[in-house]
Each structure stands twice: as structure tokens, then as C-alpha cells.
């Protein structure tokens, strides 16, 4: 076969393409040194840790190839598989103008999200970006396919497919909304940050002098604002946590949940697991670990509003969502932050058909002028709204006390759970005996004390308290069908497993309307 003559133009194209490909294959030496100093991985190394070997197919690698110093225009997009499951990956390259966005950067991200919408594929967001390039603002900011389209598509994806974000560096200005629209936000301590205005801008505009860490650092967002869900030590841990979270959720809203071989709990529940005196605090993680398969509890927002514990676990290999009051922190009282934390987690579980188990040990919502000014009623209503509208199987387990609106917020009988189960330590009432007696008999108590002395007062209070406790006796509540069953702690896991299997085919309808108007 004759050898064809080479065409100089083709050779030139090949050479330029090879140079462009090489430019985006690895960072320049100076950029690599900066990554190493920051303890960061290169964008392609991050993706390699996420996806199955050899599975990644990239789109738009030659974006903006004609411009010098903008390989792939600062973002890597494509698809691959994670543990055999197809996903979309969108990853900023911080070595290219600090991961900033140009017009082609935005177009690549929009196309990737459109692909996710068409095929209902999960999206992994690897964010490390200084935000928009001001020089490109007209091309990338205001138009129909500008940056706003990314947020529009994220909202359309919400509840349709899992969106998981690892924040490795900054996420500045409008770009900070990308992580906030995802289902899970993992932030790398010391490197990750989110802010609408930089510390320099805050000083110029509002006269506030503040450090980046104080304003929008990873630890602040995971402990104070609640924007972050999990704090990671480095890039590798963040990616491993993202993959672990993915193992609990389905491919999309239509898909079944992942299923694994069941295991026994790390330590089974016993009657000693739950203190009988309701005033004695204990760590509810012990109850959770006694219910779920060994080492399977994946906690979300562990550092934020810790009086309420939320997360995924596996029971006999199947995913469940846990919402639990933790009396070790602030007595397990519900605050505005814990109500927000619960509502979002319940919405997440409902979106992906994950059954919910509520472990109630709650004295109610916090009272006082500070929380009232902070909107405790509105935030509490948000949590109750989430519980009410969830159509997945739900089980209310009254571990100890469930007082006042705390019972409602924890999926009590009035909210149609598949079952309300109580331990023998359970108490259900409008309020605790001491508070109730004082509320009803305050004047009478004062009269008895004034007329007969402290001893008579104490006897009167004890008698009224005994009456109150008899009125809300656990056996009476069971006899009146307020609760469906009473079990010992050692039998609770088996009871829940049976009921979870039976509830799997429940109707998912709630109400016929366009949408609710939640109190947010």
C-alpha cells in the first residue's frame, strides 16, 4: 500500500492539539509546587481517586485551546463510573487562573448538568474556584447560557439525582451557591472556604475587618452556619467520604436503593443501654449503633446542632435514615438550627425513598425571648412540615421522653407513621410532670406553703405529680392505641426490621396540589 504524503497543515494541527492536551495533563512546576504547599491534589488526580480506573470519558478538553494559559478553560467535565455506577463529574482546576470561570467554563458546566438531567445521572462537584473572571463577565454572566443557568439546572436536578460536592478550596461570590445547592457538602479544613464577599470586600463595603477563616472557613461553616455537612482533613479523605455517602443513596429518584449483605450491630442494645431516669443524659449514638449494621452509621452535620443526630445507616444491608435527639447535648432540646438540620435531612430521605426512623428523647422546643426572636416557631414549623409531607415509611420510637411539640417534630402518632413504638422507659405528655404541676397549681402551691409550710407543700406537689404520671401512664397510652407496641431495647432492631419490610410497598401519595408553601 503506497504511503500517503504528509500534509503540513494536518501535522500542525496534530502538534497544536498535542500541546494543548499536554498543557491540561499536568500542572506547571510553579502550580504543582503551590498545590503541594497547600496539601492539595491536582484536579485529574482527584478525579482518578473518585472514578473506577479507565472509566472516565472527558468532554471539552480543548475548550479555549486558542488562548494561552487556559487549558480546558479551567474545568474538567465528563462521565465515569463510581463502584460501577455511572456519574457526571464537574471539577475545577485551581491551577488555571485559580479555577475561575470564563464563558467556556460555564458552557462546559451547563452542558454537563444538561446531560445529568437528560439521563438522570448523579453529579459529583469538585469545587475549587475563585469565581467569575471579571474580564469575561459579559460573555459568561448575564445570558441565557450564562452562570445563572448552572444554578437553574442544579435546582432542577435537586431530588432527581444525588449531587455531592467536595469543596477543596474557595467557592467565592455567586459561585458559592453551587455547593449550597448540592445534597452533601464536604469541606476540607484549612483550604475550603465559601463567601459572597471576600474579607477585603467586607472591609471596603461594611468596614468589617475579619479573617477568611472567620468569615467563610470550613470549620465555621460546619459548626456555626450549618452550610457545610462534613469536615474533612484533606482531599483524599473528602473523596473517600463522598464515595461512602454515594453507597447509601440511589442512582436517581426512580432507582432502588443500593443493597448490601447484612451484618449484626457492633454492640446489641440491652436494657442498660438507655438510662431509666429521664433526667440522666446519655449519648444516643449508642442506641443508633445498636440498631444499625456494624460500623454503618454515616452521620451528617455532626458538628452542627449536635443536640439532634441525623445520618444514614444500614439495617440488614438496607439504607435507613436516622433522626435522633441527643440528651448529651443541651438536653436534646430542639433549637432553630436543629429544626433546620432535621427538615433538610427528612426532605433528602423522602426524595430518594429512604425510610426514616425517629428516636425520640426530647423535652420539646427551646423557649425564651432569644429563640423567639430567632424564629423558633417558624423553624419548628419547617421541621413539622417536613415530617408531615414525607411519604417514605416512617417509624417513631419513643426512647424516653417525648414532650409537647417535640413529639410532633419526631414523627409522633398524629403524623401517620407506619408505627409508634415505645421502650418501657418512654413517656409521652404535653410537658414533664414537674413543669405540668407547677403550671397548673402554681397559686395553690403558694397557698399551701403559706398556710401549712414547706413539708405540706412538698406533699401536695408529690400527690399532684403522681396523678399526672398516672394520667400519662405508658400502659394506658398503649391501651388507648396512642402507641402501637412496647418493646424492650434488645428486641427493637428485630421489630423495626419486620416493620420496614412490611412498609416497603406503602403508598407514596400525600396530597393533591401543585406544592406546599413551607415555613422557611
Amino acid at each position: 500500500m503506497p504511503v500517503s504524503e504528509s500534509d503540513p497543515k494536518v501535522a500542525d494541527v496534530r502538534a497544536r492539539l498535542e500541546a494543548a492536551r499536554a498543557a491540561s495533563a499536568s500542572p506547571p512546576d510553579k502550580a504543582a509546587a503551590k498545590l503541594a504547599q497547600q496539601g492539595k491534589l491536582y484536579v485529574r488526580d482527584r478525579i482518578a481517586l473518585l472514578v473506577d480506573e479507565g472509566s472516565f470519558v472527558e468532554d471539552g478538553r480543548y475548550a479555549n485551546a486558542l488562548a494561552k494559559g487556559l487549558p480546558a478553560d479551567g474545568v474538567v467535565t465528563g462521565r465515569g463510573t463510581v463502584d460501577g455506577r455511572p456519574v457526571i463529574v464537574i471539577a475545577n482546576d485551581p491551577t488555571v487562573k485559580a479555577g475561575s470561570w470564563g464563558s467556556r467554563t460555564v458552557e462546559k458546566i451547563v452542558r454537563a448538568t444538561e446531560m445529568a438531567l437528560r439521563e438522570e445521572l448523579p453529579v459529583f462537584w469538585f469545587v475549587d474556584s475563585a469565581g467569575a473572571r471579571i474580564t469575561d463577565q459579559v460573555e459568561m454572566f448575564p445570558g441565557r447560557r450564562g452562570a445563572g443557568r448552572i444554578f437553574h439546572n442544579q435546582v432542577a436536578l435537586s431530588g432527581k439525582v444525588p449531587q455531592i460536592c467536595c469543596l477543596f478550596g474557595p467557592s467565592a461570590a455567586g459561585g458559592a451557591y453551587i455547593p449550597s445547592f448540592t445534597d452533601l457538602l464536604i469541606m476540607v479544613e484549612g483550604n475550603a472556604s465559601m463567601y459572597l464577599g471576600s474579607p477585603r470586600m467586607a472591609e471596603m463595603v461594611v468596614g468589617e475587618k475579619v479573617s477568611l477563616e472567620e468569615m467563610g472557613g470550613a470549620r465555621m461553616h460546619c459548626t456555626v452556619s450549618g452550610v457545610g455537612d462534613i469536615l474533612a482533613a484533606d482531599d483524599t479523605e473528602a473523596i473517600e467520604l463522598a464515595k461512602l455517602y454515594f453507597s447509601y443513596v440511589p442512582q436517581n429518584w426512580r432507582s432502588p436503593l443500593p443493597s448490601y449483605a447484612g451484618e449484626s450491630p457492633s454492640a446489641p442494645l440491652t436494657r442498660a443501654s438507655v438510662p431509666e431516669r429521664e433526667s440522666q443524659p446519655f449519648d444516643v449514638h449508642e442506641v443508633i449503633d445498636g440498631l444499625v449494621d456494624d460500623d454503618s452509621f454515616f452521620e451528617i452535620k455532626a458538628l452542627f446542632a449536635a443536640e439532634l443526630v441525623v445520618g444514614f445507616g444500614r439495617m440488614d444491608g438496607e439504607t435507613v435514615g436516622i433522626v435522633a435527639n441527643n440528651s448529651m447535648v443541651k438536653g436534646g432540646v430542639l433549637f432553630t438550627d436543629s429544626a433546620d438540620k432535621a427538615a433538610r435531612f427528612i426532605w433528602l430521605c423522602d426524595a430518594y425513598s429512604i425510610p426514616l426512623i425517629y428516636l425520640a428523647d426530647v423535652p420539646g422546643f427551646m423557649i425564651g425571648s432569644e429563640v423567639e426572636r430567632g424564629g423558633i416557631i417558624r423553624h419548628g414549623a419547617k421541621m413539622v412540615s417536613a415530617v408531615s409531607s414525607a411519604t417514605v415509611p416512617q417509624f417513631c420510637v419513643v426512647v424516653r421522653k417525648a414532650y409537647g411539640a417535640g413529639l410532633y417534630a419526631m414523627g409522633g402518632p398524629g403524623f401517620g407513621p407506619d408505627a409508634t413504638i415505645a421502650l418501657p422507659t418512654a413517656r409521652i405528655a404535653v410537658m414533664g410532670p414537674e413543669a405540668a404541676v407547677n403550671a397548673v397549681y402554681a397559686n395553690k402551691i403558694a397557698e399551701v406553703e403559706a398556710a401549712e409550710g414547706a413539708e405540706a407543700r412538698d406533699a401536695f406537689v408529690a400527690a399532684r405529680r403522681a396523678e399526672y404520671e398516672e394520667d400519662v401512664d405508658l400502659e394506658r397510652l398503649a391501651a388507648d392505641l396512642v402507641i402501637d407496641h412496647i418493646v424492650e431495647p434488645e428486641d427493637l432492631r428485630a421489630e423495626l426490621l419486620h416493620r420496614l419490610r412490611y412498609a416497603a410497598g406503602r403508598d407514596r401519595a400525600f396530597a393533591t396540589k401543585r406544592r406546599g408553601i413551607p415555613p422557611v
Side-chain angles (χ1 to χ4, degrees):
M1 188 174 182
V3 178
S4 61
E5 293 185 24
S6 60
D7 186 331
K9 292 181 180 178
V10 173
D12 177 59
V13 167
R14 282 180 171 149
R16 285 186 284 113
L17 289 176
E18 181 57 36
R21 183 178 180 84
S24 66
S26 58
D29 291 343
K30 184 177 179 180
K34 184 177 180 180
L35 289 176
Q37 183 183 16
Q38 294 174 318
K40 291 184 176 183
L41 298 174
Y42 183 50
V43 61
R44 297 186 183 278
D45 295 329
R46 289 170 176 168
I47 294 171
L49 279 178
L50 173 70
V51 300
D52 302 333
E53 187 175 356
S55 71
F56 188 63
V57 177
E58 186 173 349
D59 293 315
R61 182 158 185 170
Y62 299 105
N64 224 358
L66 298 179
K68 186 177 180 181
L70 292 170
D73 212 40
V75 66
V76 178
T77 60
R79 56 195 301 169
T81 60
V82 175
D83 294 330
R85 302 164 64 188
V87 303
I88 299 290
V89 181
I90 301 169
N92 299 123
D93 182 351
T95 68
V96 178
K97 291 194 178 298
S100 60
W101 298 0
S103 61
R104 293 168 185 83
T105 317
V106 170
E107 177 64 21
K108 286 174 69 172
I109 297 173
V110 169
R111 290 187 188 189
T113 54
E114 287 174 342
M115 187 185 302
L117 282 166
R118 278 196 311 270
E119 302 182 37
E120 295 192 345
L121 293 175
V123 184
F124 282 83
W125 297 85
F126 283 3
V127 177
D128 194 343
S129 170
R133 294 177 205 151
I134 302 301
T135 54
D136 287 18
Q137 63 175 314
V138 175
E139 290 81 11
M140 57 74 60
F141 173 67
R144 292 176 183 270
R145 295 187 70 80
R149 195 69 188 176
I150 299 172
F151 307 145
H152 176 277
N153 288 352
Q154 279 193 279
V155 174
L157 286 165
S158 178
K160 185 183 286 287
V161 301
Q163 297 186 77
I164 303 167
C165 178
C166 292
L167 184 53
F168 300 112
S171 185
Y177 286 107
I178 282 184
S180 68
F181 284 127
T182 63
D183 303 341
L184 184 80
L185 172 54
I186 302 167
M187 302 183 73
V188 176
E189 186 163 22
N191 282 333
S193 61
M194 295 173 69
Y195 49 86
L196 297 182
S198 68
R200 188 184 338 172
M201 186 178 295
E203 185 173 357
M204 288 175 57
V205 176
V206 298
E208 180 187 17
K209 290 188 176 182
V210 63
S211 70
L212 176 60
E213 188 61 33
E214 291 170 328
M215 170 172 280
R219 181 163 288 274
M220 187 284 289
H221 278 307
C222 288
T223 58
V224 179
S225 76
V227 173
D229 294 307
I230 299 177
L231 194 64
D234 54 28
D235 289 12
T236 300
E237 184 184 29
I239 295 167
E240 288 303 315
L241 286 167
K243 293 173 71 173
L244 181 58
Y245 172 89
F246 189 50
S247 73
Y248 289 89
V249 295
Q251 187 73 4
N252 55 53
W253 70 289
R254 305 176 199 269
S255 302
L257 293 167
S259 186
Y260 299 86
E263 297 182 33
S264 298
S266 56
L269 286 178
T270 68
R271 298 182 189 194
S273 301
V274 180
E276 295 183 3
R277 287 193 299 111
E278 69 174 53
S279 60
Q280 181 180 341
F282 78 105
D283 191 348
V284 78
H285 289 91
E286 295 177 20
V287 175
I288 296 170
D289 289 342
L291 290 177
V292 302
D293 296 359
D294 184 22
D295 198 28
S296 72
F297 186 57
F298 185 94
E299 189 168 357
I300 296 171
K301 293 188 185 297
L303 302 177
F304 176 73
E307 64 274 11
L308 190 82
V309 176
V310 302
F312 297 138
R314 293 194 180 96
M315 293 184 67
D316 199 25
E318 307 297 328
T319 303
V320 297
I322 305 285
V323 179
N325 308 115
N326 193 4
S327 61
M328 285 289 288
V329 182
K330 300 178 182 177
V333 176
L334 291 167
F335 288 78
T336 54
D337 285 343
S338 38
D340 280 355
K341 175 178 173 176
R344 192 167 193 275
F345 181 73
I346 293 164
W347 287 328
L348 173 68
C349 290
D350 198 42
Y352 298 129
S353 301
I354 298 170
L356 280 158
I357 296 172
Y358 301 90
L359 301 176
D361 182 13
V362 57
F365 283 90
M366 189 60 184
I367 60 172
S369 62
E370 183 178 351
V371 291
E372 294 294 357
R373 290 166 65 88
I376 187 75
I377 296 172
R378 176 167 52 87
H379 291 277
K382 185 190 312 179
M383 181 176 177
V384 172
S385 175
V387 172
S388 301
S389 59
T391 59
V392 291
Q394 297 186 84
F395 297 91
C396 174
V397 179
V398 184
V399 177
R400 294 198 301 185
K401 56 195 174 295
Y403 294 155
L407 173 67
Y408 297 164
M410 296 301 289
F415 294 82
D418 291 77
T420 301
I421 302 168
L423 300 185
T425 47
R427 289 185 177 187
I428 296 175
V430 171
M431 61 183 71
E434 186 175 339
V437 170
N438 188 65
V440 175
Y441 297 104
N443 293 337
K444 184 64 176 177
I445 291 169
E447 288 176 16
V448 171
E449 183 176 17
E452 304 177 45
E455 188 173 333
R457 177 204 62 197
D458 293 344
F460 177 82
V461 169
R464 302 294 80 74
R465 178 168 181 157
E467 290 172 0
Y468 184 84
E469 291 179 342
E470 184 179 350
D471 191 46
V472 293
D473 177 70
L474 186 60
E475 186 179 14
R476 176 185 174 177
L477 294 175
D480 289 347
L481 300 181
V482 172
I483 56 179
D484 297 298
H485 199 26
I486 304 170
V487 300
E488 292 290 352
E490 59 266 28
D491 300 321
L492 181 57
R493 174 178 156 96
E495 180 76 17
L496 286 169
L497 281 172
H498 279 305
R499 291 180 180 273
L500 281 163
R501 294 186 189 104
Y502 295 147
R506 73 170 287 174
D507 180 26
R508 293 297 305 274
F510 174 60
T512 303
K513 55 186 177 182
R514 286 190 176 87
R515 61 167 299 131
I517 306 169
V520 296

